[in-house]
């Protein structure tokens, strides 16, 4: 993602990328668990929790651009960049949490304890 995109599309894309990474990763991981003889819904629930941080990293680009923008904001006084990056991370965290919630509803694993 080297090209600059407007903030609102990046905000929306960050949310859906994180949700997609988490949902897709948990479902494909559950298929692998099924093929290896494990319980797929339990594995899906476990994978959803494990993939949460990686969904956020994938959504914000997985590069050091975010850290560079925050550094620039702190050291050069560009607070607009800090706020934008914070909102993008918050959007990605919201998408990841939505994915976890959908997996939790789908598996009903939180009830079986």
């Amino acid at each position: 993602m080297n090209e600059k995109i407007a903030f609102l599309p990046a905000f929306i894309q960050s949310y859906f990328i994180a949700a997609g990474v988490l949902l897709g990763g948990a479902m494909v991981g559950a298929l692998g668990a099924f093929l290896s003889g494990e319980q797929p819904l339990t594995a899906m629930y476990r994978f959803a929790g494990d993939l949460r941080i990686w969904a956020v990293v994938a959504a914000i680009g997985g590069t050091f651009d975010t850290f560079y923008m925050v550094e620039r904001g702190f050291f050069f006084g560009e607070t607009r960049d800090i706020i934008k990056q914070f909102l993008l991370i918050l959007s990605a965290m919201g998408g990841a949490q939505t994915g976890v919630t959908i997996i939790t509803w789908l598996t009903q694993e939180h009830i079986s304890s």
Side-chain angles (χ1 to χ4, degrees), residues 10-99:
F11 185 79
I12 294 168
Q13 289 171 4
S14 178
Y15 178 87
F16 284 103
I17 289 170
V21 166
L22 200 130
L23 289 170
M27 289 182 187
V28 171
L31 177 64
F34 173 75
L35 293 175
S36 66
E38 295 179 28
Q39 297 176 347
L41 293 180
T42 301
M44 185 184 297
Y45 180 77
R46 189 180 73 244
F47 292 147
D50 293 343
L51 290 173
R52 184 179 296 170
I53 188 67
W54 296 111
V56 172
V57 169
I60 62 172
T63 64
F64 288 101
D65 289 341
T66 301
F67 300 112
Y68 173 71
M69 295 296 256
V70 171
E71 176 191 29
R72 200 168 80 180
F74 278 128
F75 293 128
F76 299 115
E78 297 181 23
T79 56
R80 177 181 279 180
D81 289 336
I82 294 174
I83 293 170
K84 283 183 180 180
Q85 292 305 311
F86 174 74
L87 290 174
L88 286 176
I89 292 169
L90 192 66
S91 173
M93 290 174 73
Q97 184 60 38
T98 300

Side-chain angles (χ1 to χ4, degrees), residues 88-109:
L88 286 176
I89 292 169
L90 192 66
S91 173
M93 290 174 73
Q97 184 60 38
T98 300
V100 168
T101 302
I102 291 170
I103 294 294
T104 302
W105 288 341
L106 181 67
T107 61
Q108 296 294 309
E109 194 70 28

